Amino acid sequence: MGSAVVRAVARVLHRPLAVLIRPYPRLNALLWETQYALGRWNYLDRAGDHTTVQLIHRWVSRPRILDLGCGSTVNLVLPPAGYRHYHGVDISRTALRRARSLRRPHSSFEVADVLTYRATEAYDVILLREVLYYFPADRAVALLHRMARVLAPGGVLIVWLYDSGGAHAALADRIRGCGLTVHEEKTQLHDGAPAGGTFVLGPAPAGQQPREATGSRTAGERR
């Protein structure tokens, strides 16, 4: 019962706390570290994510994968024969200790803040699963553009939003209009209403300057 109460309180407090401490990297890291240590995100480990792997393999065969905000990675079902290398990045050392304990072959992990992370090599697939809505929209879009520049030829960004038609509709719209190539978009429905969204993105078309970079779109603008 006690742990359930802790998780309930964490759910209520997480968003305002995240907004307040996001500018302070050490406090932000402590917030996530505390939540993982208290089991706030354990429920995510109970369901295997087969959909992401199916989507990856539709676009790239045996990719090098960068997973930003990877968490414990327990719910990512990734057959060893289906990728060349997997690199997970998360701000929580506790989450990454659990990820390493899985002994996933051909894998490496790194403690870092996703928002300021700089990749040092090219990847075929970059995952942002339920990550972008923790950041201000402008910085989330800037992160997408920075990551698009480190994609290998033919590589893709795969972005998941758990509520692309409700609380995060504005962010979904910014993603659609950010100037990157939208290869694919899927919306999951619950009771007839949008309940989640997946975007498969690639670099901006050659010679096209991203609209977000020119400042021609405002935070409140809609497509």
Side-chain angles (χ1 to χ4, degrees):
M1 180 66 178
S3 61
V5 172
V6 168
R7 289 196 297 272
V9 171
R11 276 196 297 272
V12 172
L13 294 180
H14 174 76
R15 192 53 59 90
L17 279 175
V19 171
L20 288 172
I21 72 172
R22 176 71 241 183
Y24 307 99
R26 290 185 179 179
L27 287 177
N28 187 49
L30 180 61
L31 173 64
W32 285 98
E33 189 70 11
T34 301
Q35 289 188 94
Y36 273 106
L38 291 174
R40 164 70 178 89
W41 303 106
N42 287 354
Y43 75 95
L44 294 175
D45 297 340
R46 292 196 285 269
D49 180 3
H50 296 269
T51 306
T52 295
V53 177
Q54 293 168 357
L55 190 57
I56 288 171
H57 291 162
R58 261 213 328 271
W59 285 93
V60 184
S61 176
R62 296 196 73 246
R64 292 180 57 83
I65 299 170
L66 173 62
D67 191 357
L68 296 175
C70 65
S72 69
T73 80
V74 173
N75 67 349
L76 182 61
V77 181
L78 200 59
Y83 64 98
R84 282 184 291 160
H85 189 81
Y86 171 91
H87 187 63
V89 175
D90 201 278
I91 200 169
S92 169
R93 295 179 185 276
T94 298
L96 293 187
R97 276 197 297 272
R98 186 165 188 190
R100 290 188 180 97
S101 74
L102 300 176
R103 300 188 182 279
R104 192 188 299 274
H106 314 300
S107 64
S108 56
F109 298 93
E110 184 176 355
V111 177
D113 186 330
V114 167
L115 199 55
T116 56
Y117 179 72
R118 299 282 174 174
T120 58
E121 55 187 289
Y123 291 90
D124 304 295
V125 173
I126 298 177
L127 301 177
L128 286 151
R129 300 182 298 144
E130 317 290 8
V131 169
L132 287 185
Y133 37 70
Y134 289 107
F135 310 137
D138 287 341
R139 300 195 71 184
V141 168
L143 173 64
L144 289 176
H145 281 281
R146 191 168 74 248
M147 290 298 105
R149 290 194 290 271
V150 299
L151 286 171
V156 293
L157 291 161
I158 298 179
V159 177
W160 287 81
L161 299 177
Y162 82 83
D163 187 5
S164 62
H168 306 301
L171 177 57
D173 189 61
R174 291 289 296 274
I175 293 171
R176 294 184 193 101
C178 73
L180 297 178
T181 300
V182 181
H183 292 304
E184 182 178 342
E185 178 183 351
K186 287 191 173 183
T187 301
Q188 291 81 46
L189 300 177
H190 180 69
D191 294 333
T198 309
F199 296 86
V200 179
L201 308 172
Q208 177 178 309
Q209 186 177 11
R211 281 173 287 175
E212 290 285 346
T214 65
S216 61
R217 289 175 61 84
T218 65
E221 188 177 350
R222 298 287 188 270
R223 272 176 71 88

